[in-house]
Coordinates of all heavy atoms in Angstrom, one line a residue:
M146 N -13.7 -24.5 -32.4 CA -14.5 -23.4 -32.3 C -15.6 -23.4 -33.2 O -15.4 -23.7 -34.5 CB -13.7 -22.1 -32.4 CG -14.5 -20.8 -32.2 SD -13.5 -19.3 -32.1 CE -12.9 -19.3 -30.4
H147 N -16.8 -23.2 -32.7 CA -18.0 -23.1 -33.6 C -17.8 -22.0 -34.7 O -17.4 -20.9 -34.4 CB -19.2 -22.9 -32.7 CG -20.5 -23.0 -33.5 ND1 -21.0 -22.0 -34.3 CD2 -21.4 -24.0 -33.5 CE1 -22.2 -22.5 -34.8 NE2 -22.5 -23.7 -34.3
G148 N -18.3 -22.3 -35.9 CA -18.1 -21.3 -37.0 C -18.9 -20.0 -36.7 O -18.5 -19.0 -37.1
G149 N -20.0 -20.1 -36.0 CA -20.8 -18.9 -35.6 C -20.0 -17.9 -34.7 O -20.0 -16.7 -34.8
C150 N -19.1 -18.6 -33.8 CA -18.3 -17.7 -32.9 C -17.2 -17.1 -33.7 O -16.9 -15.9 -33.5 CB -17.8 -18.7 -31.8 SG -16.9 -17.8 -30.5
V151 N -16.6 -17.8 -34.6 CA -15.6 -17.2 -35.5 C -16.1 -16.1 -36.3 O -15.5 -15.0 -36.5 CB -15.0 -18.4 -36.5 CG1 -14.0 -17.7 -37.4 CG2 -14.4 -19.5 -35.7
Y152 N -17.3 -16.3 -36.9 CA -18.0 -15.3 -37.7 C -18.2 -14.0 -36.9 O -18.0 -12.9 -37.3 CB -19.3 -15.8 -38.3 CG -19.9 -14.9 -39.3 CD1 -19.7 -15.0 -40.6 CD2 -20.8 -13.8 -38.8 CE1 -20.3 -14.2 -41.6 CE2 -21.3 -13.0 -39.8 CZ -21.1 -13.1 -41.1 OH -21.6 -12.3 -42.1
A153 N -18.7 -14.2 -35.6 CA -19.0 -13.0 -34.8 C -17.8 -12.3 -34.4 O -17.8 -11.1 -34.4 CB -19.7 -13.6 -33.5
L154 N -16.7 -13.0 -34.2 CA -15.4 -12.3 -33.9 C -15.0 -11.5 -35.1 O -14.6 -10.3 -35.0 CB -14.3 -13.4 -33.6 CG -12.9 -12.9 -33.5 CD1 -12.7 -11.9 -32.3 CD2 -11.9 -14.1 -33.3
A155 N -15.1 -12.2 -36.3 CA -14.6 -11.5 -37.5 C -15.5 -10.2 -37.8 O -15.0 -9.2 -38.2 CB -14.6 -12.5 -38.7
D156 N -16.8 -10.4 -37.7 CA -17.7 -9.3 -38.0 C -17.5 -8.1 -37.1 O -17.5 -7.0 -37.4 CB -19.2 -9.8 -37.9 CG -20.1 -8.7 -38.3 OD1 -19.9 -7.9 -39.1 OD2 -21.3 -8.8 -37.7
T157 N -17.3 -8.4 -35.8 CA -17.1 -7.4 -34.8 C -15.8 -6.6 -35.0 O -15.7 -5.4 -35.0 CB -17.1 -7.9 -33.4 OG1 -18.4 -8.6 -33.2 CG2 -17.0 -6.8 -32.4
V158 N -14.7 -7.4 -35.2 CA -13.4 -6.7 -35.4 C -13.4 -5.9 -36.7 O -12.9 -4.8 -36.8 CB -12.2 -7.8 -35.4 CG1 -10.9 -7.2 -35.8 CG2 -12.1 -8.4 -34.1
A159 N -13.9 -6.5 -37.8 CA -14.0 -5.7 -39.1 C -14.9 -4.5 -38.9 O -14.6 -3.4 -39.5 CB -14.5 -6.7 -40.2
G160 N -16.0 -4.6 -38.2 CA -16.9 -3.5 -38.0 C -16.2 -2.3 -37.3 O -16.3 -1.1 -37.6
I161 N -15.3 -2.7 -36.3 CA -14.6 -1.6 -35.6 C -13.5 -1.0 -36.6 O -13.4 0.2 -36.6 CB -13.8 -2.3 -34.4 CG1 -14.9 -2.6 -33.3 CG2 -12.8 -1.3 -33.8 CD1 -14.5 -3.4 -32.2
A162 N -12.9 -1.9 -37.4 CA -11.9 -1.3 -38.3 C -12.7 -0.4 -39.4 O -12.2 0.8 -39.8 CB -11.2 -2.4 -39.1
A163 N -13.9 -0.7 -39.7 CA -14.7 0.1 -40.7 C -15.1 1.4 -40.0 O -15.1 2.4 -40.7 CB -15.9 -0.7 -41.2
A164 N -15.4 1.4 -38.7 CA -15.8 2.5 -38.1 C -14.7 3.6 -37.9 O -15.0 4.7 -37.4 CB -16.4 2.2 -36.6
T165 N -13.5 3.2 -38.1 CA -12.4 4.3 -38.1 C -12.6 5.3 -39.2 O -11.9 6.3 -39.1 CB -11.0 3.6 -38.2 OG1 -10.8 3.1 -39.5 CG2 -10.7 2.7 -37.1
C166 N -13.6 5.1 -40.1 CA -14.0 6.2 -40.9 C -14.7 7.4 -40.3 O -14.7 8.4 -40.8 CB -15.0 5.6 -42.1 SG -16.7 5.3 -41.4
G167 N -15.0 7.3 -39.0 CA -15.6 8.3 -38.2 C -17.0 8.3 -38.0 O -17.6 9.2 -37.4
R168 N -17.7 7.3 -38.6 CA -19.2 7.2 -38.6 C -19.6 5.8 -38.1 O -18.8 4.8 -38.2 CB -19.7 7.4 -40.0 CG -19.3 8.9 -40.5 CD -20.1 9.1 -41.8 NE -19.9 8.1 -42.8 CZ -19.0 8.3 -43.8 NH1 -18.3 9.3 -43.9 NH2 -18.9 7.3 -44.7
Y169 N -20.8 5.7 -37.6 CA -21.3 4.5 -37.2 C -21.5 3.5 -38.4 O -21.7 4.2 -39.5 CB -22.7 4.5 -36.5 CG -22.6 5.0 -35.1 CD1 -22.7 6.4 -34.9 CD2 -22.5 4.2 -34.1 CE1 -22.7 6.8 -33.6 CE2 -22.4 4.7 -32.8 CZ -22.5 6.0 -32.5 OH -22.4 6.4 -31.2
V170 N -21.3 2.3 -38.4 CA -21.4 1.4 -39.5 C -22.3 0.3 -39.1 O -22.5 -0.1 -37.9 CB -20.0 0.8 -40.0 CG1 -19.0 1.9 -40.3 CG2 -19.4 0.0 -38.9
T171 N -22.8 -0.4 -40.1 CA -23.7 -1.5 -39.9 C -23.3 -2.6 -41.1 O -23.1 -2.2 -42.2 CB -25.2 -1.2 -40.0 OG1 -26.0 -2.4 -39.6 CG2 -25.7 -0.7 -41.3
T172 N -23.4 -3.8 -40.7 CA -23.0 -4.9 -41.7 C -24.0 -5.1 -42.8 O -25.2 -5.2 -42.5 CB -22.9 -6.2 -41.0 OG1 -22.0 -6.1 -39.8 CG2 -22.2 -7.3 -41.8
L173 N -23.5 -5.0 -44.0 CA -24.4 -5.3 -45.2 C -24.3 -6.7 -45.6 O -25.3 -7.3 -45.8 CB -23.9 -4.5 -46.4 CG -24.2 -2.9 -46.3 CD1 -23.5 -2.3 -47.5 CD2 -25.7 -2.7 -46.4
S174 N -23.1 -7.3 -45.5 CA -22.9 -8.7 -45.9 C -21.5 -9.1 -45.4 O -20.6 -8.4 -45.1 CB -23.0 -8.9 -47.4 OG -21.9 -8.2 -48.1
G175 N -21.4 -10.5 -45.3 CA -20.1 -11.0 -44.9 C -20.0 -12.5 -45.3 O -21.1 -13.1 -45.4
G176 N -18.8 -12.9 -45.6 CA -18.6 -14.3 -45.9 C -17.3 -14.8 -45.3 O -16.3 -14.1 -45.3
M177 N -17.3 -16.1 -44.9 CA -16.2 -16.7 -44.3 C -15.8 -17.9 -45.0 O -16.7 -18.6 -45.4 CB -16.4 -17.0 -42.8 CG -16.6 -15.7 -41.9 SD -15.1 -14.7 -41.7 CE -14.0 -15.8 -40.8
N178 N -14.5 -18.2 -45.1 CA -13.9 -19.5 -45.5 C -13.3 -20.1 -44.3 O -12.4 -19.6 -43.7 CB -12.9 -19.3 -46.6 CG -13.5 -18.5 -47.8 OD1 -14.4 -18.9 -48.4 ND2 -12.9 -17.3 -48.1
Y179 N -13.8 -21.3 -43.9 CA -13.3 -22.1 -42.9 C -12.3 -23.1 -43.4 O -12.7 -24.1 -43.9 CB -14.4 -22.7 -42.1 CG -15.4 -21.7 -41.5 CD1 -16.6 -21.5 -42.2 CD2 -15.1 -21.0 -40.4 CE1 -17.5 -20.5 -41.8 CE2 -16.0 -20.0 -39.9 CZ -17.2 -19.8 -40.6 OH -18.1 -18.9 -40.1
M180 N -11.0 -22.9 -43.2 CA -10.0 -23.7 -43.8 C -9.4 -24.8 -43.0 O -9.1 -25.8 -43.5 CB -8.9 -22.8 -44.4 CG -9.4 -21.8 -45.4 SD -8.1 -20.8 -46.1 CE -8.2 -19.4 -44.9
L181 N -9.3 -24.6 -41.6 CA -8.8 -25.5 -40.7 C -9.6 -25.5 -39.5 O -10.1 -24.5 -39.1 CB -7.3 -25.2 -40.4 CG -6.2 -25.3 -41.5 CD1 -4.9 -24.8 -41.0 CD2 -6.1 -26.8 -41.9
P182 N -9.7 -26.6 -38.8 CA -10.4 -26.6 -37.5 C -9.7 -25.7 -36.5 O -8.5 -25.7 -36.5 CB -10.4 -28.0 -37.1 CG -9.7 -28.8 -38.0 CD -9.2 -27.9 -39.2
I183 N -10.4 -25.0 -35.7 CA -9.8 -24.2 -34.7 C -9.7 -24.9 -33.4 O -10.7 -25.0 -32.6 CB -10.6 -22.8 -34.6 CG1 -10.5 -22.1 -35.9 CG2 -10.0 -21.9 -33.4 CD1 -11.2 -20.8 -36.0
K184 N -8.6 -25.5 -33.1 CA -8.3 -26.3 -31.9 C -7.0 -26.1 -31.4 O -6.1 -25.5 -32.1 CB -8.5 -27.8 -32.3 CG -9.8 -28.3 -32.7 CD -9.8 -29.8 -33.0 CE -11.1 -30.3 -33.3 NZ -11.1 -31.8 -33.3
D185 N -6.6 -26.5 -30.2 CA -5.3 -26.6 -29.7 C -4.6 -25.2 -29.8 O -3.4 -25.1 -30.2 CB -4.5 -27.6 -30.4 CG -5.1 -29.0 -30.4 OD1 -5.7 -29.3 -29.3 OD2 -5.2 -29.7 -31.3
T186 N -5.4 -24.2 -29.4 CA -4.8 -22.9 -29.3 C -5.4 -22.1 -28.1 O -6.6 -22.4 -27.8 CB -5.0 -22.0 -30.6 OG1 -4.3 -20.8 -30.6 CG2 -6.4 -21.8 -30.9
E187 N -4.7 -21.3 -27.4 CA -5.2 -20.5 -26.3 C -6.0 -19.4 -26.9 O -7.1 -19.1 -26.3 CB -4.1 -20.0 -25.4 CG -4.7 -19.3 -24.2 CD -3.6 -18.8 -23.2 OE1 -2.4 -19.0 -23.4 OE2 -3.9 -18.3 -22.2
Y188 N -5.6 -18.7 -27.9 CA -6.3 -17.6 -28.4 C -6.6 -17.8 -29.9 O -5.8 -18.3 -30.7 CB -5.5 -16.2 -28.2 CG -5.4 -15.8 -26.8 CD1 -4.4 -16.0 -26.0 CD2 -6.6 -15.0 -26.4 CE1 -4.4 -15.6 -24.7 CE2 -6.6 -14.5 -25.1 CZ -5.5 -14.8 -24.3 OH -5.6 -14.3 -23.0
V189 N -7.7 -17.3 -30.3 CA -8.1 -17.1 -31.7 C -8.0 -15.6 -32.0 O -8.7 -14.8 -31.4 CB -9.5 -17.7 -32.0 CG1 -9.9 -17.6 -33.5 CG2 -9.5 -19.1 -31.5
I190 N -7.2 -15.3 -33.1 CA -6.9 -13.8 -33.3 C -7.5 -13.5 -34.7 O -7.2 -14.2 -35.6 CB -5.4 -13.7 -33.3 CG1 -4.8 -14.1 -32.0 CG2 -5.1 -12.3 -33.6 CD1 -3.4 -14.7 -32.0
C191 N -8.2 -12.4 -34.7 CA -8.6 -11.9 -36.0 C -8.1 -10.5 -36.3 O -7.9 -9.7 -35.4 CB -10.2 -11.7 -35.9 SG -11.0 -11.1 -37.4
K192 N -7.7 -10.4 -37.6 CA -7.1 -9.2 -38.1 C -8.0 -8.7 -39.3 O -8.2 -9.5 -40.2 CB -5.7 -9.4 -38.6 CG -4.8 -9.8 -37.4 CD -3.4 -10.2 -37.9 CE -2.5 -10.7 -36.8 NZ -1.2 -11.0 -37.2
A193 N -8.4 -7.4 -39.2 CA -9.3 -6.9 -40.3 C -8.6 -5.6 -40.8 O -8.2 -4.7 -40.1 CB -10.6 -6.5 -39.7
R194 N -8.7 -5.5 -42.2 CA -8.1 -4.4 -42.9 C -9.0 -3.9 -44.0 O -9.7 -4.7 -44.7 CB -6.8 -4.8 -43.6 CG -6.1 -3.8 -44.3 CD -4.7 -4.2 -44.8 NE -3.9 -4.7 -43.8 CZ -3.2 -4.1 -42.8 NH1 -3.3 -2.7 -42.8 NH2 -2.4 -4.7 -42.0
T195 N -9.2 -2.6 -44.0 CA -10.1 -1.9 -45.0 C -9.4 -2.1 -46.3 O -8.2 -1.7 -46.6 CB -10.2 -0.5 -44.7 OG1 -10.8 -0.3 -43.4 CG2 -11.1 0.3 -45.7
V196 N -10.1 -2.6 -47.3 CA -9.7 -2.8 -48.7 C -10.1 -1.6 -49.5 O -9.3 -1.0 -50.3 CB -10.3 -4.1 -49.3 CG1 -9.9 -4.2 -50.8 CG2 -9.7 -5.3 -48.6
R197 N -11.3 -1.1 -49.2 CA -11.9 0.0 -50.0 C -12.8 0.8 -49.1 O -13.7 0.1 -48.5 CB -12.6 -0.5 -51.3 CG -13.5 0.6 -52.0 CD -12.6 1.3 -53.0 NE -13.4 2.0 -54.0 CZ -13.8 3.2 -53.8 NH1 -13.7 3.9 -52.7 NH2 -14.5 3.8 -54.7
Q198 N -12.6 2.1 -49.0 CA -13.5 2.9 -48.2 C -14.1 3.9 -49.3 O -13.4 4.8 -49.7 CB -12.8 3.7 -47.1 CG -13.7 4.6 -46.3 CD -14.7 4.0 -45.4 OE1 -14.4 3.2 -44.7 NE2 -16.0 4.3 -45.7
G199 N -15.4 3.8 -49.5 CA -16.1 4.6 -50.4 C -16.8 5.7 -49.7 O -16.6 5.9 -48.4
G200 N -17.8 6.3 -50.2 CA -18.5 7.4 -49.6 C -19.5 6.8 -48.5 O -19.6 7.4 -47.4
R201 N -20.0 5.6 -48.7 CA -21.0 5.0 -47.9 C -20.7 3.5 -47.6 O -21.2 3.0 -46.7 CB -22.4 5.2 -48.3 CG -22.9 6.5 -48.2 CD -23.2 7.0 -46.8 NE -23.9 8.3 -46.8 CZ -24.2 8.9 -45.8 NH1 -24.0 8.4 -44.6 NH2 -24.7 10.1 -45.9
I202 N -20.0 2.9 -48.4 CA -19.7 1.5 -48.4 C -18.2 1.3 -48.1 O -17.3 1.8 -48.8 CB -20.1 0.8 -49.7 CG1 -21.5 1.1 -50.1 CG2 -19.8 -0.8 -49.6 CD1 -22.5 0.6 -49.1
A203 N -18.0 0.3 -47.1 CA -16.6 0.0 -46.8 C -16.4 -1.5 -47.0 O -17.4 -2.3 -46.7 CB -16.2 0.3 -45.4
V204 N -15.3 -2.0 -47.7 CA -15.0 -3.4 -47.9 C -13.8 -3.7 -47.0 O -12.8 -3.0 -47.1 CB -14.8 -3.7 -49.4 CG1 -14.5 -5.1 -49.6 CG2 -16.0 -3.2 -50.2
L205 N -14.0 -4.8 -46.2 CA -12.9 -5.2 -45.4 C -12.5 -6.7 -45.6 O -13.4 -7.5 -45.8 CB -13.2 -4.9 -44.0 CG -13.2 -3.4 -43.6 CD1 -14.5 -2.8 -43.7 CD2 -12.5 -3.2 -42.3
D206 N -11.3 -7.0 -45.5 CA -10.8 -8.4 -45.5 C -10.4 -8.8 -44.0 O -9.9 -7.9 -43.3 CB -9.6 -8.6 -46.4 CG -10.1 -8.7 -47.9 OD1 -11.3 -8.8 -48.2 OD2 -9.1 -8.7 -48.7
V207 N -10.6 -10.0 -43.6 CA -10.3 -10.6 -42.4 C -9.5 -11.8 -42.5 O -9.7 -12.6 -43.5 CB -11.5 -10.8 -41.5 CG1 -12.3 -9.5 -41.2 CG2 -12.4 -11.9 -42.1
I208 N -8.6 -12.0 -41.5 CA -7.8 -13.3 -41.4 C -8.0 -13.7 -40.0 O -7.8 -12.8 -39.0 CB -6.3 -13.0 -41.7 CG1 -6.2 -12.8 -43.2 CG2 -5.6 -14.3 -41.4 CD1 -4.8 -12.5 -43.7
V209 N -8.3 -14.9 -39.8 CA -8.3 -15.5 -38.4 C -7.2 -16.5 -38.3 O -7.1 -17.4 -39.0 CB -9.7 -16.2 -38.2 CG1 -9.7 -16.9 -36.8 CG2 -10.9 -15.3 -38.4

Side-chain angles (χ1 to χ4, degrees):
M146 183 173 276
H147 190 282
C150 190
V151 177
Y152 188 96
L154 171 65
D156 182 31
T157 304
V158 172
I161 290 168
T165 64
C166 71
R168 298 187 304 265
Y169 286 92
V170 301
T171 188
T172 308
L173 290 172
S174 64
M177 293 293 296
N178 302 303
Y179 302 99
M180 297 178 275
L181 292 171
I183 299 179
K184 295 181 170 187
D185 305 319
T186 186
E187 184 177 0
Y188 286 98
V189 178
I190 301 149
C191 180
K192 300 174 181 179
R194 181 171 310 282
T195 301
V196 176
R197 169 91 165 83
Q198 177 67 57
R201 291 287 185 180
I202 306 296
V204 179
L205 288 93
D206 282 345
V207 297
I208 293 175
V209 177

